[in-house]
Amino acid sequence: FPFPYTPYRIQEQFMEALYGALEAGRVGIFESPTGTGKSLSLICGALSWLRDWEEKRRQEEARLLALGASGQDGLTPQQERPGSAEPAGEPDWVTAFVQKKEERDMVDRLKEEQIRRKKQEERLEKIRHNVQLKYAAKRKRCEEDEAKRLLQLSKEALSQGAGEGVLDQLDHNEEELILAEYESDDEKKVVSGLEEDYDDLEEEHVTKIYYCSRTHSQLSQFVREVQKSPFGRDTRLVSLGSRQNLCVNEEVRRLGALQLINDRCMEMQNNKHEKKSDEENEGKKRRVSRTGCPFYSYEQMQFLRDEVLVEVKDIEQLVSLGRETKACPYYGSRFAVPAAQLVVLPYQMLLHEPTRNAAGIKLKDQVVIIDEAHNLIDTITCIHSAEVSGSQLCCAHSQLSQYMERYRKRLKAKNLMYIKQILYLLERFVAMLGGNVNQNPGCQAVSQTGTVLKSINDFLFQSQIDNINLFKVQRYCEKSLISRKLFGFVERYGGPASAVKTNKENQKLAGLQNFLLTLQQGSDKEGDPPMEAEHDHLQTASPLMQIEGFLSALTNANQDGRVILNRQGTVGQSSLKFLLLNPAVHFAKVVEECRAVIIAGGTMQPVADFREQLLCCAGVDPARVVEFSCGHVIPPENILPIILCSGPSNQQLEFTYQTRNLPQMMDETGRILCNLCNVIPGGVVCFFPSYEYEKQVYGHWEKTGLLSRLAAKKKIFQEPKKANQVEQVLVEYAKCLKRCSQTGGQMTGALLLSVVGGKMSEGINFSDDLGRCVIMVGMPYPNIKSPELQEKMTWLDKTMPRAAGQAPSRVLIENLCMKAVNQSIGRAICHQKDFASILLLDHRYARPATFNKLPQWIRERTQVKPAFGSAFAELRKVRTCTLCAA
């Protein structure tokens, strides 16, 4: 395998296993710990296979073309062989003729493909070597822009003296708020517009690898690895992203929320195509205020596409190129997909079928590699789940009613019919939460609080909406862009959301001010920290956008999901949530269509979840599944994992929900940390099962004076709950460690108190001094009282077989806990010369079933210590060794 340096033995094994899985068309689960060069192994293994595969294809094509050229007048050797394979009763000459025709057709097709491929290669080669050609398109674009600007100035000068009167009753800017006539429910009717552009570009998709990961930063890092690899110069790589990441139109970018950017962009494409017909229709004297996007230029996007295929670029470089060439990177990159060999894209784009289709991704006979896949099941569940609050439902109803009233005379019958259906749906949803859609949701108390779960069918029947075709309503929302129109309407008449400050006494605000008020009150509920900013923005934008997601979720099969009615104090605080129980239904199409699928990650243990919940349920033959797990590149003495069963005062360590709040347990944890901080240099990272427990322990230590004893040795940092503050805390933590290592003195480093499942436990590597010791306090089991989890457990027990005498629900709880543990402790070692100790504080980790779920490379080196004394002695030894090494 070509490699930028001499690979480790485990990297060679990884690449061999990967090559074999791709060649045999398998579904592979690959585990390679953090710091073992997984990305490079994936790149070099997969691209080596692709290069060999293309070479085989070329040889086969050449053989068939040569055969076609030589065997035009006579039969080929295969056809001359007498055989009994012909259908009974058909003469030999008929069979031969049919075979001959098929072969001739194939040869013609291959010739066409070859000509097209040659043309493309020649064009890309020209661009690669001809700098003049490279900038000719850019210069032409600048000239066009200048001409447009001068023309616009002339028009403005002329119109100033004309004094145009407004002939229409409505303000010209208001025209774009009115829904266009909705022609038909038949989706097959192709509307002239964007679709036509795509037809022009319909190209044969070459065999390619789709590589996806969780975040844009991980994807950029992967692209940089490709650039450094031996394949960096001659691989046609395309990075795909959301409009939020790729849009270069500042006016659209300023909208902030992803849904708003998507809708505005789509609207601008439609405007571009409608503008011509509007201008022709001079009779109406209607001023066209709508504009197409200046970056959506077919010619420039073709140029950008070629530039992308010539040289490997990450998202940032793609955006810079888009700005420079005045071409849209979002669409330009999509035009490059058919000819690309490696397509790099985020999870959501590949795993969500509508998004996949919109991006022009065709999975038939292609290869998919899903990296950082430890959370794959949760990711698929989240992508296809949806939640709406009572305040959003009431707000959307209020907005839509007023929109309908204002434009009733201008809307066609079909639009009115669908708007009335949506209003009825909103009314029934609020009624299910125990409220009235026409009253302020913030002031309506809910009589029966609590959480109720219903099947999709039960929910539809009980809310009396089973007679409405949700598929048609969903299609209408997509095609008519109603949520975007509604947002424009609110923007125009609702006033800035920031100007309306909620006052509980001021409950009689009229009209549009009223739903802004309800909106504000509905957002009191605490959001998920990472999504907070965007969530708020979406709420203040258009609640109908989120409701569309919920309607779409209701079209899932009855057995695959549940609707959760969460009734809180007021209707505004209550919510409806769709929970997907069977993620395999959405993953099945990926594994069915693809030639091979590789699920890879640093910590994939325990893999039973992937096999049973995802692959078996998706109908994958167990014989097609292959597993690969490799060790670490560090010497055995560089890692010391210890399971500690009791503390310094012989208190047994068992952090169950019942015992973990006891003062003696919190004291014992503090004593362990004090002892460790005395002997371990650098950074110590301590993981707690939850934010609440970390807060409780911290408060207890403050009262008992343990905190000040800890602070004398290590500066204490706490993981913040808000995602946007994490970076700052990490920077301060790293600075403190650097300062301590340089100055010496009494302070030996820093202690970082983190939370399992928080930002610090995923995606952040504690290399070198950042994590000389990682401590896990207790076992982070999920909240078993959560209605969602209980429903998932019930569903698993009904649909899955018992494994080794254990109920599937019990296995799920155990696996969720150990996945979280492995994710947190797996980040202590980041390269070959790194060293660290790992401490698991709970005697239950020593149970064989739990112990076997640790990653193999950690499990092989783990020591179980019944008493604290012997564990402490081992840790002191590590410190002595490190001092000697230093």
Side-chain angles (χ1 to χ4, degrees):
F1 294 97
F3 215 73
Y5 52 82
T6 308
Y8 302 125
R9 179 71 196 115
I10 58 168
Q11 286 179 311
E12 287 174 346
Q13 290 165 348
F14 186 103
M15 290 186 285
E16 282 160 16
L18 178 64
Y19 191 103
L22 297 180
E23 186 64 25
R26 298 294 190 84
V27 175
I29 302 172
F30 279 65
E31 181 180 54
S32 178
T34 305
T36 54
K38 169 168 57 76
S39 296
L40 262 178
S41 304
L42 279 170
I43 291 162
C44 297
L47 290 176
S48 293
W49 172 82
L50 186 64
R51 187 191 57 193
D52 293 353
W53 168 258
E54 285 174 348
E55 187 52 43
K56 273 186 221 158
R57 280 280 302 270
R58 272 195 289 273
Q59 285 172 4
E60 183 63 16
E61 277 176 20
R63 190 184 69 78
L64 285 167
L65 287 168
L67 211 62
S70 63
Q72 276 173 354
D73 298 324
L75 295 172
T76 55
Q78 289 110 311
Q79 290 164 331
E80 284 174 346
R81 277 202 304 272
S84 56
E86 303 98 33
E90 280 202 356
D92 285 358
W93 69 269
V94 173
T95 313
F97 177 78
V98 171
Q99 281 183 329
K100 192 78 181 152
K101 186 176 185 318
E102 279 174 6
E103 220 168 77
R104 210 173 290 122
D105 290 347
M106 188 195 237
V107 168
D108 290 344
R109 198 166 60 247
L110 287 174
K111 277 180 182 167
E112 278 175 29
E113 262 180 45
Q114 214 174 38
I115 291 164
R116 193 164 59 231
R117 199 166 52 235
K118 265 190 182 159
K119 269 187 186 171
Q120 189 194 46
E121 280 168 9
E122 280 168 13
R123 189 178 74 243
L124 295 180
E125 203 56 36
K126 259 186 196 171
I127 292 170
R128 195 177 273 124
H129 297 297
N130 192 336
V131 181
Q132 274 183 315
L133 186 76
K134 203 171 182 177
Y135 292 104
K138 188 180 161 189
R139 193 170 60 247
K140 188 179 175 207
R141 179 74 180 165
C142 290
E143 285 166 7
E144 280 175 11
D145 280 357
E146 186 60 19
K148 267 187 197 167
R149 195 177 67 81
L150 291 170
L151 187 66
Q152 186 61 34
L153 284 172
S154 314
K155 278 183 181 174
E156 280 171 15
L158 282 169
S159 66
Q160 272 173 3
E164 261 183 89
V166 181
L167 296 176
D168 209 355
Q169 291 174 324
L170 296 177
D171 188 335
H172 62 259
N173 286 328
E174 222 173 324
E175 287 290 350
E176 64 185 80
L177 301 180
I178 296 171
L179 289 159
E181 183 173 354
Y182 188 65
E183 289 181 6
S184 169
D185 292 327
D186 184 4
E187 222 176 357
K188 286 178 182 146
K189 222 179 192 185
V190 177
V191 182
S192 69
L194 206 56
E195 292 90 343
E196 284 177 3
D197 286 357
Y198 278 120
D199 289 343
D200 296 344
L201 289 154
E202 200 54 60
E203 261 184 78
E204 192 67 32
H205 278 244
V206 302
T207 301
K208 58 172 65 52
I209 295 164
Y210 287 101
Y211 170 90
C212 55
S213 192
R214 206 171 66 243
T215 64
H216 279 288
S217 58
Q218 285 166 343
L219 293 171
S220 290
Q221 196 177 336
F222 178 82
V223 173
R224 284 193 289 275
E225 293 281 353
V226 174
Q227 288 167 334
K228 284 188 281 184
S229 79
F231 298 91
R233 289 190 62 78
D234 51 8
T235 299
R236 298 191 299 277
L237 179 146
V238 176
S239 293
L240 296 182
S242 63
R243 285 180 176 91
Q244 203 171 26
N245 289 90
L246 287 174
C247 179
V248 288
N249 185 330
E250 285 308 317
E251 179 205 328
V252 179
R253 281 175 71 87
R254 275 198 294 271
L255 291 168
L258 178 62
Q259 188 65 52
L260 295 180
I261 291 173
N262 285 344
D263 281 358
R264 181 75 187 113
C265 175
M266 292 301 290
E267 192 180 41
M268 287 176 109
Q269 305 324 313
N270 291 344
N271 291 346
K272 191 146 195 156
H273 298 296
E274 284 169 22
K275 198 171 176 184
K276 289 172 190 169
S277 59
D278 279 348
E279 281 167 355
E280 286 158 15
N281 200 351
E282 285 293 322
K284 287 186 181 174
K285 294 274 184 197
R286 177 166 138 193
R287 175 176 167 186
V288 182
S289 64
R290 296 172 295 174
T291 53
C293 180
F295 294 90
Y296 190 80
S297 154
Y298 183 60
E299 197 180 334
Q300 290 304 114
M301 287 191 297
Q302 272 189 312
F303 171 65
L304 185 124
R305 174 196 65 184
D306 293 344
E307 275 290 295
V308 165
L309 292 171
V310 161
E311 192 184 6
V312 172
K313 290 177 177 59
D314 64 19
I315 292 276
E316 287 75 21
Q317 291 166 321
L318 192 55
V319 169
S320 302
L321 181 68
R323 287 203 177 102
E324 192 184 306
T325 58
K326 292 210 162 68
C328 174
Y330 179 78
Y331 284 108
S333 58
R334 272 154 181 66
F335 294 164
V337 168
Q341 294 164 307
L342 178 57
V343 179
V344 177
L345 69 167
Y347 271 1
Q348 289 79 348
M349 208 170 276
L350 184 108
L351 299 171
H352 188 240
E353 196 179 355
T355 312
R356 192 163 70 227
N357 295 339
I361 293 166
K362 294 181 180 175
L363 296 180
K364 190 83 183 110
D365 298 329
Q366 308 292 20
V367 170
V368 164
I369 297 175
I370 302 172
D371 201 0
E372 298 297 328
H374 54 274
N375 278 343
L376 183 59
I377 295 172
D378 292 344
T379 303
I380 298 171
T381 304
C382 286
I383 291 171
H384 297 93
S385 296
E387 185 171 16
V388 285
S389 69
S391 69
Q392 286 174 318
L393 292 165
C394 290
C395 172
H397 188 277
S398 177
Q399 290 179 1
L400 199 53
S401 305
Q402 290 172 67
Y403 177 88
M404 186 176 76
E405 282 311 308
R406 174 154 183 88
Y407 302 121
R408 187 184 283 274
K409 289 176 185 165
R410 302 293 299 266
L411 296 169
K412 297 284 187 282
K414 206 147 222 177
N415 277 319
L416 282 170
M417 179 192 85
Y418 277 111
I419 289 175
K420 281 176 181 170
Q421 281 192 356
I422 296 167
L423 287 170
Y424 176 71
L425 289 171
L426 296 173
E427 199 178 303
R428 296 312 307 155
F429 290 161
V430 174
M432 287 296 279
L433 292 174
N436 183 330
V437 80
N438 296 313
Q439 292 172 18
N440 188 333
C443 307
Q444 291 182 69
V446 173
S447 52
Q448 289 178 309
T449 56
T451 304
V452 184
L453 283 101
K454 295 185 184 299
S455 70
I456 301 174
N457 286 353
D458 285 350
F459 176 75
L460 297 179
F461 284 122
Q462 286 171 29
S463 53
Q464 298 165 17
I465 58 169
D466 52 300
N467 58 335
I468 289 179
N469 186 330
L470 291 178
F471 289 94
K472 284 188 174 182
V473 174
Q474 183 196 351
R475 200 179 310 143
Y476 171 76
C477 291
E478 275 172 30
K479 296 285 177 189
S480 68
L481 292 176
I482 187 166
S483 56
R484 169 69 210 169
K485 307 280 183 187
L486 202 54
F487 174 68
F489 173 69
V490 176
E491 238 183 349
R492 190 174 180 79
Y493 292 108
S498 56
V500 184
K501 290 290 174 216
T502 327
N503 236 333
K504 286 210 171 170
E505 305 88 60
N506 190 6
Q507 284 161 8
K508 291 189 177 177
L509 283 178
L512 287 165
Q513 301 292 348
N514 185 41
F515 60 72
L516 285 169
L517 159 79
T518 58
L519 220 175
Q520 196 81 18
Q521 286 180 331
S523 62
D524 291 346
K525 214 172 59 167
E526 191 182 309
D528 229 14
M531 294 297 287
E532 234 167 41
E534 189 176 352
H535 189 66
D536 288 351
H537 200 141
L538 262 176
Q539 281 200 318
T540 49
S542 172
L544 192 61
M545 290 174 185
Q546 257 169 297
I547 293 161
E548 281 177 19
F550 181 68
L551 288 174
S552 172
L554 289 178
T555 59
N556 274 283
N558 184 51
Q559 70 273 18
D560 293 330
R562 295 288 180 273
V563 179
I564 301 167
L565 283 76
N566 186 17
R567 298 188 182 110
Q568 295 300 323
T570 66
V571 172
Q573 291 166 336
S574 303
S575 65
L576 294 173
K577 181 178 181 179
F578 174 81
L579 173 71
L580 181 72
L581 293 175
N582 184 11
V585 290
H586 294 286
F587 195 59
K589 202 153 191 186
V590 176
V591 284
E592 274 166 29
E593 290 190 348
C594 290
R595 174 199 169 86
V597 176
I598 305 296
I599 302 168
T603 45
M604 298 297 284
Q605 289 293 338
V607 293
D609 283 2
F610 295 105
R611 269 186 176 278
E612 285 148 29
Q613 282 186 52
L614 208 55
L615 302 178
C616 285
C617 288
V620 178
D621 179 356
R624 194 184 166 200
V625 181
V626 60
E627 279 179 38
F628 175 86
S629 180
C630 63
H632 215 295
V633 291
I634 54 163
E637 63 274 11
N638 278 27
I639 182 168
L640 175 63
I642 292 175
I643 294 171
L644 190 58
C645 301
S646 58
S649 63
N650 290 327
Q651 167 77 47
Q652 190 189 37
L653 300 176
E654 185 174 348
F655 292 86
T656 61
Y657 282 117
Q658 292 77 31
T659 60
R660 70 183 193 181
N661 299 330
L662 297 171
Q664 59 264 39
M665 288 302 286
M666 294 192 271
D667 289 340
E668 198 74 337
T669 309
R671 280 193 282 270
I672 292 168
L673 278 174
C674 278
N675 279 297
L676 294 181
C677 288
N678 279 332
V679 296
I680 291 170
V684 175
V685 184
C686 182
F687 285 104
F688 289 88
S690 67
Y691 284 103
E692 288 68 36
Y693 188 56
E694 187 265 335
K695 201 174 167 185
Q696 190 183 346
V697 172
Y698 191 87
H700 180 77
W701 289 347
E702 257 182 330
K703 279 184 207 153
T704 58
L706 256 166
L707 199 68
S708 49
R709 277 169 57 196
L710 275 170
K713 279 286 175 191
K714 306 262 185 203
K715 185 164 184 200
I716 299 170
F717 293 88
Q718 285 175 281
E719 177 175 345
K721 221 169 180 180
K722 288 191 174 171
N724 56 1
Q725 296 170 359
V726 169
E727 190 63 38
Q728 186 56 37
V729 171
L730 279 172
V731 168
E732 292 300 322
Y733 174 68
K735 271 187 196 166
C736 174
L737 288 169
K738 198 173 179 187
R739 215 168 35 244
C740 292
S741 68
Q742 285 168 353
T743 56
Q746 200 186 356
M747 288 287 271
T748 61
L751 170 64
L752 178 59
L753 305 178
S754 302
V755 175
V756 175
K759 258 296 195 231
M760 307 264 185
S761 69
E762 296 217 10
I764 290 166
N765 297 330
F766 294 103
S767 60
D768 303 320
D769 264 2
L770 290 177
R772 287 299 177 212
C773 180
V774 174
I775 301 163
M776 179 64 64
V777 177
M779 298 184 75
Y781 283 110
N783 179 8
I784 207 157
K785 292 196 174 91
S786 144
E788 285 104 318
L789 187 56
Q790 285 184 342
E791 193 61 29
K792 178 87 178 179
M793 287 161 70
T794 309
W795 180 82
L796 282 173
D797 286 341
K798 277 183 193 165
T799 53
M800 297 278 178
R802 289 173 77 84
Q806 267 194 312
S809 56
R810 184 67 227 159
V811 174
L812 171 77
I813 297 297
E814 198 75 30
N815 286 353
L816 285 172
C817 167
M818 291 311 293
K819 253 191 177 58
V821 169
N822 294 343
Q823 220 16 62
S824 304
I825 63 176
R827 307 199 164 271
I829 302 286
C830 297
H831 55 85
Q832 194 185 14
K833 292 181 178 164
D834 206 353
F835 61 89
S837 44
I838 294 169
L839 224 64
L840 304 172
L841 307 187
D842 201 306
H843 75 96
R844 292 174 293 169
Y845 282 109
R847 295 181 307 202
T850 307
F851 183 77
N852 288 331
K853 285 176 180 168
L854 287 167
Q856 190 185 342
W857 65 280
I858 292 179
R859 190 171 66 235
E860 285 168 350
R861 302 163 191 188
T862 301
Q863 302 178 24
V864 178
K865 299 288 182 185
F868 181 73
S870 56
F872 192 60
E874 288 292 334
L875 289 161
R876 289 186 78 109
K877 263 191 235 167
V878 171
R879 193 205 176 188
T880 316
C881 294
T882 59
L883 287 174
C884 295

